[in-house]
Amino acid sequence: MASLSEEVLLVVKKVRQRKQDGTLYLMAERIAWGPEGKDRFTVSHLYADIRCQKISPDGKSKIQLQLVLHTGESTTFHFANESSALKDRDAAKELLQQLLPKFKKKANKELEEKNRMLQEDPVLFQLYKDLVVSQVISAEEFWANRLGGINNTDPGLCDNKQEVGISGAFLADIRPQTDGCNGLRYNLTADIIESIFRTYPAVKQKYSENVPHNLTEKEFWTRFFQSHYFHRDRINTGTQDIFSECAKQDDKGLKSMVSQGVKNPLVDLLSLEDKTLDEGYGLCTSTPSTSSSNRTVKDSSNSAIIKRFNHHSAMVLAAGSRKGDTQVDQASETSSTDGNSRDSDFFQPPVKKVRLQEAIEYEDLQRENGPKTVALNLKKADRYAHGPVPLQSQQYTTSQDIINSVNYIQHEMANYKPNLTQVLSSTSASSAIAALSPGGVLMQAGAQQAINQMVPPEVQGELKHLYAAAGELLRHFWACFPVNTPFLEEKVMKMKSNLERFQMTKLRPFQDKIQRQYLSTNLTGHLEEMLQTAYSKFHIWQTRRMMRKT
Amino acid sequence: MKLNIEGLLVYFPYDYIYPEQYSYMLELKRTLDAKGHGVLEMPSGTGKTISLLSLIVAYQRAFPLEVTKLIYCSRTVPEIEKVVEELRKLMEFYSKETGETNNFLALALSSRKNLCIHPEILHANIVVYSYHYLLDPKIADLVSKELAKKSVVVFDEAHNIDNVCIDSMSVNITRRTLDRCQNNVDTLQNTIQKIKETDAAKLREEYRRLVDGLKEASVARETDIYLSNPVLPDEILQEAVPGTIRTAEHFVGFLRRFLEYLKSRLRVQHVVQESTPQFLKDIFDKVCIDRKPLRFCAERLQSLLRTLEIADIADFSAVTLISNFATLVSTYSQGFTIIIEPFEDRTPTIANPVLHFSCMDPSIAIKPVFQRFQSVVITSGTLSPLDIYPRILDFRPVTMASFTMTLARTCLCPLIVGRGNDQVALSSKFETREDFAVIRNYGNLLLEMSAVVPDGIVAFFTSYVYMENIVASWYEQGILENIQRNKLIFIETQDAAETSMALEKYQEACENGRGAILLSVARGKVSEGIDFVHHFGRAVIMFGVPYVYTQSRILKARLEYLRDQFQIRENDFLTFDAMRHAAQCVGRAIRGKTDYGLMIFADKRYARADKRGKLPRWIQEHITDGSLNLTVDETVQLSKHFLRQMAQPFRQEDQLGLSLLTLEQLQSEEMLKKITQIAHQT
C-alpha cells in the first residue's frame, strides 16, 4: 500500500468503481479506492476537495455513494457486497458525514470563494456554464481577472451576509401531498427546517435531544407533522407526544412575553382605562365567562388557534430581529423599567413623554424647519406610477439627431417651391399615399412589434445568455489591445480562437434554431457584427505584425 | 399665531391653522357667549383638542368673571395625558408671546392611584380628568361637587357618553356580593358594640345630628355650592333621617332585614323582571320595609361609617353597594329596571343568580351636570346623527354643528363591499353568519387586500365570538396561511395583557417593513382606545355591521324605555349604536390630513340610506354612488389606484390655501365666506 503511515479509519471491501471491483479506504485526510489485486489507489480525493456526498435513494437496486468535488467532477462508488451493501454504504456515509465538515473549513479558500461568487451571482454562473463548462475557455482564464478583486477585498466584508428573515408562511409552504395510498407526504427543505428551528427553539431543542439517539430524522419530522403542535387547532390531549412539552414551553414563552409588558405606553391596554367603576357597579353586558369549565371544546380550540397565531407571528418577528438587536433592546428595557419604578405624579418615563409628544404633533401646522428637501418634479405622474415602458422602436435616435432632422425639415419646408410641371402622376401619387397610410409598406416599421412580443421567452433567455457570453469573451479580447507584450500576443491569438469557437459551438446552433422556428433571423445580426468587428481588428493587427516581421 | 375670533384674541400655538379649526372655535365661542350647551362633531386629526383649549383659555383670560374654570373630561388615560401635553404647549406659547409667566393652574387626574386632594381642584383654572369624576355620583361627590357653577365642561370623545352615564348608575348584585355584605354588617355590629362600651357619647352625638336632619347639605345645595348628587335626591335633604334607622343598632338591623330579603329574591328558578315600584311593593309586603328609610340608606351608612371612624372604606364596598342600591331603587320610579336572572343564558345548568338593577336613562346621571354648569360641550369625531344625543341625554343645546375635513387631497377612501367575486352577498347578519360562502369571501377580501395594502391593516369583527369562528374557519380553509405569505397576523384576545403585546408586535412589524394584520373586535378595547396613524393602519376593514347583542334582557328593557320615553324606535337606536361603533373603528386609521387610509365596509347593508346616513358627515361625503356595492375585485382595483396616488409626496405647499391657512389667508374675505360652509348646522 502506498502510505502505510496514514491512519485508516474504515475499509470497505467489494466496492465497485467504473465497473471494477476494489476496496474503499477512508483515511484521516482522504478517501481512496484501489482496484482489487493492485497495491495502489486509482482514486484518491482529499476530504478538503469534496464538496458533498450523495447517496442513492432507498429501494434502488444499486446501492451507491457519490462524491461531488469542488471542481464539479464526481466519483461514484457502487457497494456490491450482497449481504451487507447497505450497511457498508451507511457506515461510509456516516463517517464521511462526520469527517467532511471538519475539512470544509480547511478547504481551499479560493475555491470556496469562487463557489460563493457563482452561487450568489446567477449571471456569473450562467456565464461560467456557457464558457467554462462547454469548454470555450478554461476555468483559469475565466477566473483570471475576476479573482483579483476578491483577494484584495476584506474577506470579513464578503462574509457579512445580510441576515435573511423568515417568511411568515413557512409552515404553509410545507403543503402535504397525498401519496395515493392514504398517506401524506410533506416536503421539507433545509430552509424550512431552519425556519422551524429559528421560530420554535423548543423544537430545535427536542431535535437535538432526540435525533439521532432516540429517533431518526425522518421519524422526528413525521411525529412533528402528526403532533397537535403542528396542527394548531388541536388541543393538547396526550402526554406521550414529545411535542406536548414544546407547546407548554411556547405557552410559557408567550406568558413571559406578556408579563414583560409593553414598552409603548400608548398601546398598553391595561392602563388605558381609568378604572373607576367598583365591582358590582355598571351594566354587565354579557360578561364572557372565563372559567374554563364551561367552555366547549370548540371554543377552546378556537382560542388556541388565536393564541398560536399570535405566538407564531411574534416568534417570526423576533427571529428576524434577534441578531444584534437584543442588546439594545435590553438596554432600553432596563432604562424604561427604571423610569417606571420612580413613577410619580410629576415624573413621566421618557419613552412615554416622547410618544405623547409624537401623538399630539401636527407636522403640517408647523412651519417646516427641517432641511429643505427637493421634491420630485414629475411631469408625468403616470409614468412614475406605472414604471418604465420598454422602448418601442429598435433603432434608437439621440435627441440631437431628432433636433437636427427637425431643423433640416424646417429648412426644407421653408425653401420649398412647388414645381408644378414636374408633379407625380396620379397613380404613383395614390400608391405613395397608400404606402404611407397605416398598414402600408412604408408604415410597417411603426407598427412593428417589440421583440419581447415576437420571440418566445426561452429564445429571449438564450439570446441574453449568448450576449453575456459574447460580451465576456469580447471583453477579454479587447483587453489585449494594445498588444505590446509577448504574453498579450499569445493571449490575443487564443482569444481569437476562443471567439471563433464560440461562434461555431454556440452562435451557429442558435441561428439554426431560430431559423427552424421561422423567427426573424436578424436577432443575431448584432452579435455577428460585434464578432466581425473583432475579427477585422485582429486581421489588421495580424497583417501589421506580419509586415513588421518581414 | 394670534387669531381674532369675533373680537376675542386667541393665542394659537401653531404657525398655520386648518379652516375647520377656525370654524370650530367660532361655534365654540358662540356657545360660551350664549352660556348654553353645545354638540360639536369634528373629524379626528383636525386638531380639535388644541382648538378647544386655545379658545377656552383665551375666553377665560378675557372674561375671568364669566368663565372661571374649564373642566375637560376625556375617556382614556392616554387621551388625558395628551390633553395635558397640548395644554403645556399652549402655555409655553402664551409665556413666549406675552413674556409673562402664566399663573394658570392646570390639574390632571389621570388615574385613581394618584387621586388628588380636592381643595386643589377648587383653585385650578383647568381640570383634566376622566368622565367618571363628574358622572359617577360616587366619585363626583368626593371630587367634583364643589366645582364652581361658572365652569365650562367639555366631554371629549363623547360618542359613548350615554353608556358611561348608564354604567355609573347601574348595580349588579350576586350571591358573592351578599355574602360579603353579610360580613360587613357583622363587622359593623361588632364595632358598634365596642364603641358603645367605650364611647357611647359618640353614637349619641350622631343620633342628634340625624335628628337635625341633613340640613348642612340642604343649605349647601340651595346656596349653590355643591354639584347635586343624583343618588341623593332633593327631597331627603329637607327631612330628618326617619326614626326607624336613626340609632346605629336599628340601622344595622334594618340592613340585615334588607339583606335577607335580597337573598330570598336571588333564590329564583326563572327570570324575573320588574319595575322599581313593583319591587318596593314586594319588599313592603314581604319584610315591611318602607320606601322612606330605604331612601336614606346610603346617607345613613356614610354617617355611620364616619362615626365609627372606619379608615378603610374599601372593605365596606359591598354594604356600600347595597345601600346605594337601596337609595336608588327607592328614589327613582322611572328609568330603571330590575332583572333577576337565575343563571347565565349560555350555561343554564350552573346556578349563578344575579340581580341587575340597570339604569335605562342616561339623562339621570348627567342631569346635575347640565343643570349646574353654564356651558357643557359634547364633542367627538363621530357624533352622528347629532340630534340623537340631546334626545337621549335630555338637554337643549344652543349650538349643534358637524364640521367637515377640508382636504387638499382626498386622503380617505370609504368603500362598501357588498358582494364577493362570485356575487354572493356579503353580510354579517344573523341568517348568513355561518354561511361558508360569506366567510370564504370575507377571507378572500382580506387576502387580496393583504397583497395590495402596504404596512398595516386593521380588521374589525362585530363580536369576539364571531371573530373566533371566522378565524377558525379561515384556518381550516387555509386562508390564513395564504395571508401569512403577505403579512404577519396578530389577533385581539380577551386578555388585555396579551392583546397589548400583540398590538406592540403588530406595530413593530409595521415599523420594520414586514407588514401585519391586526384582527380585532368592534366595541373592544382596541377599537375604542388605540390609534393607527400612518403606516400602522393603511386600511381598516369592517367585517359586518357591529350591532350590539340584542338578546340581552337589559338591552331589550332599555330599547323599550327609549321607545316609550323618547319616541326613539328600537331599530333606529340599534342602527345608530352600530354605526357609531363602525365609524369609530374606521376612523382609527385617519389621524390627520397628512395621513391616509382605506375604509372598507364589508357588508352590503352599509349601502342602505338608513345606515350610510348615520355615518359622520366627513366620511359620508366621500362615499360615491359608484362605491356602494363593490365586489372584492373592484375593491382591490380601487384600493390600488387610491394607494398609488396617496403614496405620492405630499407637501405643505399642496395644502396651503386649501386645507391649511396662514394668518393672511385666513383673513381674506373669500376664505371667511368659505369657512362658514364648513360648519354644518342641524
Side-chain angles (χ1 to χ4, degrees):
Chain A
M1 297 265 151
S3 47
L4 280 169
S5 57
E6 265 184 289
E7 188 191 350
V8 177
L9 301 173
L10 183 72
V11 179
V12 187
K13 289 200 171 148
K14 289 203 179 166
V15 177
R16 307 185 67 160
Q17 208 265 332
R18 298 219 169 146
K19 308 223 163 143
Q20 249 188 311
D21 281 323
T23 311
L24 183 71
Y25 297 86
L26 273 83
M27 272 141 336
E29 291 190 342
R30 59 180 183 144
I31 183 166
W33 179 85
E36 211 157 339
K38 302 252 174 73
D39 60 347
R40 61 190 173 78
F41 299 133
T42 51
V43 176
S44 166
H45 298 304
L46 288 173
Y47 292 133
D49 289 339
I50 299 172
R51 173 144 32 110
C52 65
Q53 58 167 337
K54 290 177 180 171
I55 54 170
S56 55
D58 292 349
K60 272 274 177 75
S61 58
K62 279 187 181 173
I63 293 163
Q64 291 177 317
L65 183 132
Q66 190 184 40
L67 299 176
V68 183
L69 306 185
H70 286 297
T71 52
E73 294 166 42
S74 65
T75 314
T76 309
F77 300 108
H78 174 200
F79 293 81
N81 193 338
E82 280 140 37
S83 54
S84 64
L86 195 61
K87 223 172 72 193
D88 287 349
R89 200 269 313 268
D90 285 348
K93 185 197 90 178
E94 295 278 333
L95 189 57
L96 274 174
Q97 214 164 21
Q98 290 168 27
L99 288 169
L100 286 181
K102 285 186 208 159
F103 287 91
K104 253 213 167 119
K105 286 165 205 144
K106 285 192 202 163
N108 191 338
K109 221 175 188 178
E110 207 170 86
L111 263 178
E112 282 271 284
E113 195 55 38
K114 285 176 185 169
N115 211 357
R116 189 185 60 78
M117 282 176 75
L118 288 180
Q119 270 172 4
E120 284 178 5
D121 188 349
V123 178
L124 192 70
F125 185 52
Q126 184 61 43
L127 211 57
Y128 186 84
K129 276 204 286 196
D130 284 347
L131 297 180
V132 181
V133 179
S134 60
Q135 296 181 335
V136 174
I137 57 173
S138 71
E140 286 87 71
E141 272 178 286
F142 180 79
W143 289 111
N145 43 7
R146 271 174 213 285
L147 278 175
I150 302 165
N151 293 334
N152 296 337
T153 50
D154 184 10
L157 272 174
C158 297
D159 286 347
N160 201 356
K161 271 212 293 189
Q162 195 182 0
E163 185 86 358
V164 180
I166 294 173
S167 155
F170 68 84
L171 284 178
D173 290 333
I174 327 170
R175 284 232 168 271
Q177 299 159 330
T178 45
D179 59 359
C181 47
N182 251 347
L184 290 173
R185 277 179 76 94
Y186 288 91
N187 282 325
L188 272 176
T189 66
D191 277 347
I192 293 176
I193 292 179
E194 202 207 330
S195 296
I196 294 175
F197 283 165
R198 275 171 67 188
T199 316
Y200 298 109
V203 176
K204 186 175 187 176
Q205 200 193 331
K206 280 280 161 223
Y207 180 85
S208 50
E209 275 172 17
N210 289 311
V211 180
H213 329 299
N214 300 335
L215 301 166
T216 65
E217 201 171 337
K218 198 173 157 189
E219 278 170 345
F220 179 84
W221 290 116
T222 310
R223 289 210 194 172
F224 177 77
F225 289 123
Q226 284 168 346
S227 69
H228 73 281
Y229 189 71
F230 178 67
H231 299 277
R232 297 179 219 194
D233 51 345
R234 285 188 203 163
I235 312 287
N236 180 11
T237 41
T239 42
Q240 76 283 10
D241 188 347
I242 56 167
F243 292 102
S244 58
E245 206 174 306
C246 292
K248 272 181 210 145
Q249 273 185 23
D250 281 355
D251 275 352
K252 227 190 260 170
L254 190 65
K255 278 214 183 85
S256 79
M257 266 195 268
V258 168
S259 66
Q260 265 174 16
V262 290
K263 274 170 255 157
N264 181 354
L266 293 189
V267 299
D268 189 1
L269 295 170
L270 288 172
S271 65
L272 200 63
E273 223 160 332
D274 190 4
K275 189 76 189 144
T276 42
L277 280 179
D278 278 320
E279 194 194 335
Y281 296 98
L283 218 55
C284 83
T285 41
S286 67
T287 42
S289 47
T290 40
S291 53
S292 54
S293 58
N294 52 18
R295 297 208 62 160
T296 62
V297 177
K298 186 160 182 292
D299 280 349
S300 47
S301 106
N302 287 355
S303 71
I305 295 176
I306 287 177
K307 262 201 174 141
R308 286 183 197 172
F309 264 103
N310 277 340
H311 181 250
H312 174 82
S313 298
M315 292 309 284
V316 167
L317 198 62
S321 55
R322 201 166 279 150
K323 255 194 178 168
D325 275 9
T326 39
Q327 284 204 323
V328 185
D329 258 14
Q330 269 166 355
S332 68
E333 219 166 84
T334 46
S335 76
S336 73
T337 48
D338 192 35
N340 280 332
S341 64
R342 280 182 283 149
D343 190 15
S344 66
D345 279 356
F346 46 85
F347 186 84
Q348 283 185 319
V351 187
K352 190 169 186 174
K353 182 110 180 165
V354 172
R355 297 275 182 187
L356 276 177
Q357 253 152 10
E358 265 172 25
I360 63 157
E361 198 176 71
Y362 289 92
E363 65 219 336
D364 47 346
L365 283 179
Q366 258 140 352
R367 210 172 280 283
E368 284 169 298
N369 44 9
K372 267 273 183 220
T373 51
V374 180
L376 203 56
N377 188 8
L378 294 176
K379 289 233 170 59
K380 281 185 186 164
D382 267 4
R383 283 285 294 271
Y384 174 76
H386 296 291
V389 182
L391 200 61
Q392 288 290 314
S393 76
Q394 275 171 314
Q395 265 151 1
Y396 183 79
T397 27
T398 65
S399 48
Q400 194 53 46
D401 288 345
I402 295 169
I403 293 166
N404 286 346
S405 51
V406 168
N407 285 343
Y408 181 71
I409 289 171
Q410 264 176 346
H411 180 76
E412 286 281 278
M413 293 304 285
N415 296 336
Y416 174 68
K417 284 200 190 79
N419 187 354
L420 290 175
T421 52
Q422 284 192 343
V423 290
L424 284 175
S425 69
S426 58
T427 46
S428 47
S430 64
S431 74
I433 287 172
L436 283 166
S437 313
V441 184
L442 291 171
M443 293 303 282
Q444 261 172 355
Q448 205 168 48
Q449 280 167 311
I451 187 165
N452 59 1
Q453 282 164 349
M454 297 191 327
V455 180
E458 69 269 11
V459 177
Q460 282 180 44
E462 219 170 309
L463 188 61
K464 270 184 209 156
H465 292 320
L466 280 178
Y467 260 100
E472 177 68 17
L473 288 173
L474 286 165
R475 192 172 65 80
H476 279 285
F477 174 81
W478 289 103
C480 299
F481 290 95
V483 187
N484 41 21
T485 60
F487 170 72
L488 280 177
E489 241 170 64
E490 196 186 318
K491 184 166 179 191
V492 82
M493 304 283 273
K494 205 159 67 191
M495 286 323 295
K496 198 235 165 189
S497 64
N498 280 346
L499 282 174
E500 279 167 348
R501 206 178 313 141
F502 171 78
Q503 200 175 11
M504 290 311 295
T505 58
K506 293 264 164 184
L507 195 53
R508 281 286 138 72
F510 180 71
Q511 280 169 328
D512 291 348
K513 187 176 161 189
I514 55 172
Q515 218 150 32
R516 251 180 281 126
Q517 295 187 2
Y518 306 107
L519 289 166
S520 152
T521 47
N522 222 16
L523 284 178
T524 53
H526 180 243
L527 272 174
E528 291 272 13
E529 236 171 78
M530 289 200 295
L531 289 176
Q532 287 310 326
T533 320
Y535 292 155
S536 60
K537 174 77 182 175
F538 182 78
H539 285 304
I540 292 166
W541 171 75
Q542 208 171 27
T543 43
R544 268 203 208 135
R545 198 174 68 128
M546 298 303 266
M547 275 158 68
R548 231 180 293 145
K549 272 190 178 168
T550 50
Chain B
M1 59 168 82
K2 290 181 213 167
L3 301 166
N4 173 1
I5 310 276
E6 289 187 341
L8 178 72
L9 171 68
V10 174
Y11 285 85
F12 187 71
Y14 289 99
D15 303 314
Y16 301 96
I17 187 168
Y18 298 136
E20 53 269 43
Q21 285 181 316
Y22 182 80
S23 177
Y24 187 85
M25 288 195 240
L26 224 55
E27 291 298 328
L28 192 59
K29 173 157 186 297
R30 286 171 190 162
T31 314
L32 298 188
D33 283 343
K35 296 197 188 341
H37 311 312
V39 181
L40 304 173
E41 177 183 69
M42 177 143 108
S44 46
T46 48
K48 188 171 47 202
T49 310
I50 194 67
S51 316
L52 254 168
L53 292 174
S54 302
L55 187 104
I56 296 179
V57 166
Y59 204 93
Q60 255 179 292
R61 287 169 64 98
F63 311 104
L65 296 175
E66 299 293 319
V67 170
T68 53
K69 198 187 293 283
L70 164 63
I71 305 166
Y72 195 109
C73 304
S74 197
R75 260 171 351 122
T76 64
V77 176
E79 289 295 336
I80 291 169
E81 285 165 337
K82 275 186 220 166
V83 173
V84 173
E85 217 45 56
E86 301 221 30
L87 197 55
R88 190 167 288 146
K89 187 173 176 125
L90 180 64
M91 288 307 154
E92 274 163 19
F93 183 70
Y94 259 101
S95 43
K96 204 179 95 195
E97 288 292 310
T98 57
E100 58 195 54
T101 54
N102 70 74
N103 44 5
F104 252 68
L105 178 62
L107 191 83
L109 308 185
S110 64
S111 97
R112 232 180 170 187
K113 67 171 184 266
N114 33 13
L115 184 61
C116 108
I117 321 94
H118 85 268
E120 270 189 62
I121 291 195
L122 300 177
H123 307 300
N125 298 89
I126 299 170
V127 182
V128 186
Y129 55 32
S130 146
Y131 279 22
H132 302 281
Y133 291 89
L134 206 52
L135 292 180
D136 188 340
K138 302 174 287 291
I139 310 169
D141 224 29
L142 290 174
V143 183
S144 312
K145 72 173 174 187
E146 289 169 52
L147 291 177
K149 190 173 164 47
K150 288 183 173 175
S151 303
V152 174
V153 178
V154 174
F155 289 106
D156 199 357
E157 304 287 323
H159 46 270
N160 269 341
I161 193 166
D162 52 324
N163 290 334
V164 180
C165 291
I166 282 177
D167 266 346
S168 70
M169 298 293 278
S170 297
V171 173
N172 302 301
I173 297 170
T174 60
R175 270 194 190 149
R176 191 165 157 268
T177 326
L178 294 182
D179 290 344
R180 284 174 50 221
C181 188
Q182 184 75 53
N183 291 338
N184 288 164
V185 172
D186 291 344
T187 322
L188 278 179
Q189 181 140 39
N190 294 338
T191 324
I192 290 169
Q193 206 58 47
K194 253 182 253 161
I195 290 202
K196 218 174 174 184
E197 283 156 18
T198 56
D199 193 3
K202 208 189 239 174
L203 288 173
R204 275 201 301 279
E205 165 63 19
E206 189 203 17
Y207 184 84
R208 194 193 55 74
R209 248 193 302 135
L210 293 174
V211 173
D212 287 349
L214 303 162
K215 279 200 187 113
E216 283 165 52
S218 161
V219 168
R221 189 171 289 187
E222 273 159 26
T223 51
D224 213 27
I225 294 173
Y226 288 165
L227 169 72
S228 62
N229 182 342
V231 184
L232 193 67
D234 279 331
E235 300 91 86
I236 62 168
L237 296 175
Q238 270 108 49
E239 300 171 50
V241 171
T244 43
I245 56 170
R246 230 177 269 167
T247 67
E249 290 110 319
H250 285 167
F251 179 57
V252 170
F254 172 84
L255 279 180
R256 274 188 197 287
R257 208 144 30 105
F258 185 53
L259 204 56
E260 285 311 316
Y261 172 74
L262 289 179
K263 277 184 190 165
S264 76
R265 289 306 304 266
L266 281 190
R267 267 178 243 123
V268 286
Q269 298 303 318
H270 52 92
V271 179
V272 178
Q273 178 169 3
E274 60 192 17
S275 64
T276 43
Q278 279 172 319
F279 182 85
L280 288 177
K281 183 172 182 302
D282 189 62
I283 196 170
F284 184 75
D285 291 348
K286 296 255 173 67
V287 288
C288 288
I289 288 183
D290 212 355
R291 180 165 172 238
K292 201 171 167 194
L294 273 179
R295 291 177 76 175
F296 284 87
C297 211
E299 202 55 28
R300 180 69 191 87
L301 181 72
Q302 292 309 314
S303 164
L304 182 63
L305 291 177
R306 269 198 302 275
T307 310
L308 300 182
E309 289 170 354
I310 285 164
D312 198 355
I313 304 205
D315 288 346
F316 288 88
S317 64
V319 70
T320 315
L321 180 83
I322 296 294
S323 61
N324 279 339
F325 164 66
T327 303
L328 283 170
V329 78
S330 52
T331 305
Y332 294 97
S333 56
Q334 264 203 338
F336 289 86
T337 189
I338 293 165
I339 296 170
I340 306 172
E341 289 178 323
F343 44 74
E344 278 180 48
D345 277 347
R346 274 200 279 171
T347 53
T349 47
I350 304 163
N352 179 25
V354 186
L355 185 149
H356 301 282
F357 175 66
S358 54
C359 175
M360 297 180 296
D361 190 347
S363 69
I364 293 173
I366 205 168
K367 199 173 173 191
V369 178
F370 280 122
Q371 274 178 347
R372 176 166 178 80
F373 299 110
Q374 65 179 26
S375 282
V376 178
V377 178
I378 289 182
T379 187
S380 172
T382 54
L383 278 180
S384 294
L386 286 181
D387 57 330
I388 204 161
Y389 286 89
R391 278 164 80 191
I392 57 177
L393 298 179
D394 192 24
F395 72 104
R396 224 156 263 112
V398 292
T399 43
M400 277 209 276
S402 170
F403 302 85
T404 53
M405 181 137 99
T406 55
L407 291 172
R409 57 167 192 179
T410 314
C411 69
L412 64 161
C413 179
L415 301 172
I416 298 173
V417 191
R419 297 167 288 150
N421 290 336
D422 48 5
Q423 302 301 325
V424 168
L426 293 184
S427 176
S428 70
K429 69 177 178 208
F430 188 72
E431 298 83 55
T432 58
R433 204 154 251 223
E434 310 274 303
D435 190 342
F436 267 109
V438 174
I439 295 178
R440 192 191 57 237
N441 273 308
Y442 273 158
N444 248 340
L445 174 65
L446 187 62
L447 175 60
E448 303 257 331
M449 294 309 290
S450 74
V452 297
V453 177
D455 302 318
I457 300 180
V458 191
F460 288 100
F461 294 85
T462 54
S463 73
Y464 195 79
V465 180
Y466 186 52
M467 177 174 82
E468 265 193 346
N469 288 336
I470 285 202
V471 166
S473 78
W474 281 352
Y475 172 71
E476 277 161 25
Q477 296 173 21
I479 291 173
L480 287 181
E481 290 185 344
N482 286 324
I483 292 173
Q484 278 183 319
R485 286 176 212 277
N486 301 326
K487 290 182 190 304
L488 292 178
I489 299 174
F490 294 97
I491 307 171
E492 178 175 356
T493 68
Q494 284 174 323
D495 179 291
E498 236 173 270
T499 309
S500 304
M501 189 209 67
L503 255 175
E504 193 175 55
K505 298 278 176 203
Y506 166 82
Q507 292 200 339
E508 196 183 323
C510 292
E511 202 79 81
N512 75 9
R514 196 184 256 279
I517 290 179
L518 183 72
L519 304 183
S520 182
V521 177
R523 295 165 195 277
K525 282 196 165 142
V526 173
S527 73
E528 286 288 327
I530 305 294
D531 290 345
F532 297 97
V533 287
H534 295 296
H535 59 288
F536 293 135
R538 283 296 180 219
V540 176
I541 305 176
M542 183 72 237
F543 288 113
V545 183
Y547 279 111
V548 66
Y549 173 66
T550 47
Q551 296 309 303
S552 123
R553 290 186 186 86
I554 300 172
L555 180 76
K556 279 183 179 159
R558 187 176 171 200
L559 291 175
E560 245 166 62
Y561 184 82
L562 283 171
R563 193 187 55 210
D564 296 346
Q565 294 295 314
F566 300 110
Q567 286 76 48
I568 297 171
R569 280 185 300 156
E570 291 172 23
N571 262 335
D572 280 350
F573 181 78
L574 288 174
T575 308
F576 149 74
D577 184 62
M579 293 313 284
R580 68 172 161 183
H581 281 102
Q584 267 301 305
C585 291
V586 296
R588 297 279 124 198
I590 305 284
R591 295 280 135 178
K593 297 187 176 188
T594 52
D595 201 353
Y596 64 88
L598 290 157
M599 301 174 164
I600 295 172
F601 297 93
D603 194 308
K604 70 170 177 156
R605 289 174 290 172
Y606 283 109
R608 289 189 207 150
D610 67 315
K611 309 278 184 309
R612 198 157 34 108
K614 289 191 171 69
L615 283 172
R617 198 158 78 98
W618 59 277
I619 296 179
Q620 228 183 101
E621 65 189 4
H622 294 291
I623 303 179
T624 57
D625 284 343
S627 58
L628 286 182
N629 189 17
L630 301 167
T631 65
V632 172
D633 265 353
E634 288 163 347
T635 310
V636 170
Q637 288 313 316
L638 287 170
S639 305
K640 269 187 188 167
H641 184 75
F642 170 77
L643 290 166
R644 209 174 271 158
Q645 276 188 327
M646 286 300 118
Q648 302 306 311
F650 185 58
R651 289 157 308 150
Q652 205 166 42
E653 294 92 89
D654 299 334
Q655 283 205 64
L656 266 179
L658 286 168
S659 54
L660 186 69
L661 305 175
T662 62
L663 191 55
E664 298 81 60
Q665 284 170 328
L666 180 65
Q667 282 159 344
S668 79
E669 200 67 30
E670 191 190 350
M671 185 50 75
L672 288 174
K673 205 185 282 170
K674 248 191 221 166
I675 285 174
T676 53
Q677 290 162 8
I678 290 171
H680 182 85
Q681 313 278 344
T682 38

